[in-house]
Amino acid sequence: MKNPRTRFLSPRVALLLPLGLIMAACSGDSSQVREVERDEYNTGSRREQLLRATSAAGTSGGITIFGGGTEKGQESGAGGGGLGVNAFLWRATLDTLSFMPLASADPFGGVIITDWHAPGGVSNERFKATAYVLGRQLRSDGVRIAVFRQVRGPGGWVDAPVSTATAAELEDKVLTRARELRSQSAGR
């Protein structure tokens, strides 16, 4: 007669097997997604590489989750299969905020975070921006930028108010640049 224990998995194996499968599924190729170091991005060649990579990802290949068809009214190549957001808005946002050092950029989530930047000649004031590219369509409400300001006080850096017009001006510049990129792309 066979041992009845050999018919079933031991409790340890039963618990470890699903955990191993989950870890194996999550350990796929992560070469396409990685955080960009600020110093690495701010070198001219690395900045261009990131821009080329995100532009290429916006027009072919990449990750497609929950379908892959184009949305109604979406221009081809505007949000492609590789980026989670509109490629024109993404590139325009990177171009517009290029005067500030980049802290991180997530082309799949559509978030760009800059590091603190002091305008030339000013040592007691600094700015930081976070940009959100909100969708796959090139629309006027497709980008939101939050600007943060700090001034140096006696105890160190202190948060200070920022004019709402500042963020609106940056958003307008992004939209203008995105339109330029789209018309350049259509002319090819």
Side-chain angles (χ1 to χ4, degrees), residues 125-157:
E125 180 179 50
R126 64 185 186 174
F127 294 90
K128 182 177 186 170
T130 302
Y132 304 95
V133 181
L134 301 173
R136 295 183 64 121
Q137 294 181 337
L138 179 55
R139 297 171 35 132
S140 62
D141 61 349
V143 65
R144 288 289 167 246
I145 298 177
V147 180
F148 306 95
R149 177 176 167 243
Q150 288 185 339
V151 294
R152 190 185 309 260
W157 292 103

Side-chain angles (χ1 to χ4, degrees), residues 47-174:
R47 180 181 300 256
E48 288 304 313
Q49 287 174 357
L50 180 62
L51 290 175
R52 278 194 305 273
T54 56
S55 294
T59 57
S60 66
I63 297 173
T64 303
I65 300 175
F66 301 119
T70 58
E71 295 177 23
K72 184 178 176 182
Q74 178 181 348
E75 297 90 353
S76 65
L83 291 177
V85 296
N86 183 277
F88 298 126
L89 284 174
W90 176 257
R91 174 76 186 254
T93 305
L94 282 174
D95 289 352
T96 303
L97 296 177
S98 66
F99 70 95
M100 301 177 89
L102 186 70
S104 70
D106 177 12
F108 299 102
V111 180
I112 298 170
I113 302 171
T114 68
D115 204 356
W116 290 105
H117 168 72
V122 179
S123 62
N124 62 346
E125 180 179 50
R126 64 185 186 174
F127 294 90
K128 182 177 186 170
T130 302
Y132 304 95
V133 181
L134 301 173
R136 295 183 64 121
Q137 294 181 337
L138 179 55
R139 297 171 35 132
S140 62
D141 61 349
V143 65
R144 288 289 167 246
I145 298 177
V147 180
F148 306 95
R149 177 176 167 243
Q150 288 185 339
V151 294
R152 190 185 309 260
W157 292 103
V158 179
D159 291 339
V162 180
S163 170
T164 55
T166 304
E169 287 176 21
L170 285 172
E171 290 170 4
D172 289 342
K173 287 182 181 184
V174 167

